[in-house]
Amino acid sequence: MDRARHVYQRLLGHYGPQHWWPAETAFEAIVGALLMQQTSWRNVEVAIRNLRRAGLLDVRALAEAPVPVIRRHVRIAGLYRTKPARVRAFCRHLLDRCDGDLARYFGRPTDVVRADLLAQDGVGPETADSILLYAGGHPVFVVDAYTERIGTRIGLFRTREYRAIQNFFEQHVPRELATYQEYHALLVRHAKTLCRRTNPVCEECPIRSLCDFGRRRKR
DNA sequence: TTCCCGACTG
DNA sequence: CAGTCTGGAA
């Protein structure tokens, strides 16, 4: 069996399904991705909750809201000098690109949507792919710091280049939306609970037998 | 003090 | 490639 698939099976068996964003709305996934950078997800959840409570969790509402108002609600997510304006600018873009119709926005070839996302302020490779995968239903493999850490520790690859890592997974894991969504969620879960940057808990790791780092590490 | 599911600028 | 940006939790 392919190692990348084997890792997936073991993580899924150990942690179980993570049931992420698809349960929520596509728009929430977009806002979450834009606010997530360099912040704990806990704070992003609070920010989204604040927006919803204020009736601002909507394309038009956010597009029209003054930046200071948006800032008041998302301040907890940090980087308040950039994120609020980026969220509003992105919503304005959605309005004049597809009249705020997300199905229409995402209803184009993956590469086209990805290029459009990357052209937006504050949207880099990870944010773009995260939006594609969890809001747009496009089967692209999301790469983040956790993916890189786990992948290099295990010895799946050595590169640190975004596209190279992404290609690795997309060539070894069947291109299925649900699988890609679940795999990324599992990597995040694994990186936070056991495969931490410092003090990893290799003794309890479900993929230790597949891991170059874990096998060599003493208890 | 460090770190958190990055992106941008110089 | 390195510095910078943010607040909050540990």
Side-chain angles (χ1 to χ4, degrees), chain A residues 55-130:
Chain A
L56 287 175
L57 200 55
D58 169 86
V59 183
R60 290 178 196 283
L62 277 177
E64 294 166 10
V67 172
V69 171
I70 300 175
R71 175 176 300 133
R72 191 181 311 145
H73 295 101
V74 306
R75 176 177 283 274
I76 191 173
L79 300 177
Y80 63 80
R81 278 191 267 190
T82 56
K83 286 179 179 177
R86 287 171 175 178
V87 167
R88 190 175 77 155
F90 192 91
C91 288
R92 291 187 168 186
H93 176 67
L94 285 178
L95 283 184
D96 61 54
R97 174 54 52 109
C98 61
D99 200 31
D101 183 347
L102 293 183
R104 218 172 92 203
Y105 181 76
F106 290 116
R108 298 174 288 168
T110 300
D111 291 344
V112 175
V113 184
R114 190 172 199 271
D116 185 89
L117 287 168
L118 288 174
Q120 306 314 308
D121 185 28
V123 180
E126 184 191 333
T127 304
D129 289 335
S130 181

Side-chain angles (χ1 to χ4, degrees), chain A residues 3-49:
Chain A
R3 289 183 79 199
R5 284 192 236 181
H6 202 163
V7 166
Y8 175 69
Q9 296 300 336
R10 293 244 194 132
L11 291 178
L12 184 59
H14 186 80
Y15 296 107
Q18 300 300 298
H19 56 77
W20 260 21
W21 284 334
E24 307 169 25
T25 70
F27 187 64
E28 274 184 54
I30 291 175
V31 176
L34 292 172
L35 294 178
M36 189 259 322
Q37 302 163 192
Q38 192 58 22
T39 305
S40 65
W41 180 246
R42 173 190 304 272
N43 290 345
V44 174
E45 284 183 305
V46 175
I48 290 180
R49 211 175 306 144

Side-chain angles (χ1 to χ4, degrees), chain A residues 193-196 199-205 217:
Chain A
T193 55
L194 298 179
C195 200
R196 303 186 292 238
N199 304 320
V201 190
C202 295
E203 311 85 63
E204 300 174 26
C205 182
R217 197 151 177 276

Side-chain angles (χ1 to χ4, degrees), chain A residues 128-142:
Chain A
D129 289 335
S130 181
I131 290 174
L132 280 168
L133 182 66
Y134 291 106
H138 286 259
V140 295
F141 204 94
V142 175

